[in-house]
Amino acid sequence: MTQVEVWNADETLLHRVSVKHAVKMIWRGIATPVAVHESETFGPYQLPIVVRLVRYVEQKWLYSRTRATYSREGVLRRDRHRCAYCGQLMATTMDHVMPRSRGGATSWDNAVAACEPCNTRKGNRTPDEAGMPLHWDPYVPTRAQLNFARTSQTGGTDPPTRPRKELAA
């Protein structure tokens, strides 16, 4: 069954639910349909594509001051699956900027998304030693940034949210 987008009252994407769940939300008066299939129905209702909540749901956990939990998938999300070395939209691995064997930490500040060819080429070297400068600096994302990266459907055309800082000579 297809998924239906659920928007908050301010029209920000919250999550996706099944068609059955969305129709129940409409029936109970919790949500109103925003976009529907004109020709398809689910019982007496037109098949919803997008529903909007009637009341605003505050997401305090999303904007809390606590850091986002570090994970490999989180690094890939933060960098939007774009390789930090070549910029191609095919990053499937995570790379430690300062290799762990040289004392580099497994943390947000030392990890970037990388495609397999670049990760292999860099190997156990720093980006400077490998002649592979980073296109942006790694950073600690907020939970909101990770949630936006997960829910946005930009097709990967946007650059990561923090550009590379130019180092003063």
Side-chain angles (χ1 to χ4, degrees):
M1 210 172 230
T2 61
Q3 296 285 300
V4 177
E5 286 187 359
V6 177
W7 292 354
N8 211 339
D10 65 352
E11 297 188 354
T12 56
L13 178 66
L14 288 176
H15 58 279
R16 291 172 181 81
V17 296
S18 69
V19 172
K20 182 178 179 181
H21 188 106
V23 169
K24 283 182 182 179
M25 291 171 69
I26 293 167
W27 180 77
R28 290 172 37 213
I30 295 171
T32 58
V34 174
V36 295
H37 286 285
E38 294 298 325
S39 60
E40 297 183 47
T41 60
F42 189 92
Y45 299 96
Q46 288 181 310
L47 195 66
I49 300 171
V50 178
V51 296
R52 185 181 63 230
L53 297 179
V54 174
R55 292 186 180 168
Y56 181 78
V57 174
E58 194 171 349
Q59 299 177 28
K60 291 180 182 180
W61 65 271
L62 187 62
Y63 301 103
S64 69
R65 293 186 180 197
T66 59
R67 294 177 137 198
T69 304
Y70 173 83
S71 69
R72 176 186 163 282
E73 183 57 37
V75 171
L76 293 173
R77 266 193 218 150
R78 176 196 69 188
D79 295 345
R80 297 189 182 139
H81 292 273
R82 186 174 297 276
C83 179
Y85 300 109
C86 69
Q88 296 292 321
L89 184 64
M90 53 186 241
T92 57
T93 64
M94 185 270 305
D95 183 56
H96 291 89
V97 177
M98 173 61 71
R100 289 178 55 208
S101 63
R102 296 184 178 194
T106 300
S107 67
W108 288 111
D109 295 323
N110 191 44
V112 292
C115 63
E116 289 185 36
C118 287
N119 202 349
T120 302
R121 189 173 131 215
K122 179 182 168 281
N124 195 27
R125 302 177 287 177
T126 65
D128 292 336
E129 293 171 348
M132 300 171 67
L134 290 169
H135 286 273
W136 58 84
D137 287 326
Y139 63 95
V140 180
T142 63
R143 290 182 184 204
Q145 288 170 323
L146 282 184
N147 189 53
F148 177 75
R150 179 177 58 85
T151 59
S152 68
Q153 301 294 325
T154 60
T157 57
D158 295 339
T161 53
R162 299 259 175 113
R164 173 90 171 133
K165 295 177 196 167
E166 296 301 322
L167 301 175

